[in-house]
């Protein structure tokens, strides 16, 4: 069954998702640096994950504040 969500709740959820993506991006970037000297493959994997979260952030930023990051 699908719940009906009003626009304010949807906006709150998107802001929470953005905050989660910021945290995850930072975590994976730190993990990349931590693994770089000892595990190059793990470091690359962490870098890919950080880039994925960066892409999520760009999309959410554009949805939440259109044109803010215009190039």
């Amino acid at each position: 069954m699908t719940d009906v969500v009003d626009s304010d709740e949807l906006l709150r959820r998107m802001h929470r998702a953005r905050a989660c993506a910021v945290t995850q991006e930072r975590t994976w970037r730190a993990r990349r640096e931590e693994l770089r000297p000892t595990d190059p493959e793990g470091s690359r994997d962490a870098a890919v994950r950080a880039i994925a979260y960066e892409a999520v952030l760009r999309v959410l930023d554009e949805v939440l504040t259109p044109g803010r990051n215009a190039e």
Side-chain angles (χ1 to χ4, degrees), residues 14-71:
M14 287 190 296
H15 279 288
R16 282 194 308 265
R18 186 187 182 288
C20 178
V22 166
T23 301
Q24 288 297 315
E25 180 192 18
R26 288 179 185 158
T27 299
W28 285 110
R29 288 199 186 281
R31 183 85 172 134
R32 178 192 67 189
E33 294 305 317
E34 177 184 311
L35 291 174
R36 186 173 285 176
T38 59
D39 184 3
E41 189 174 323
S43 179
R44 280 190 299 275
D45 181 55
V48 168
R49 290 173 189 257
I51 291 168
Y53 278 105
E54 182 181 334
V56 169
L57 282 171
R58 286 183 189 168
V59 170
L60 287 171
D61 281 344
E62 185 60 30
V63 169
L64 293 168
T65 53
R68 183 172 125 190
N69 293 326
E71 293 181 33

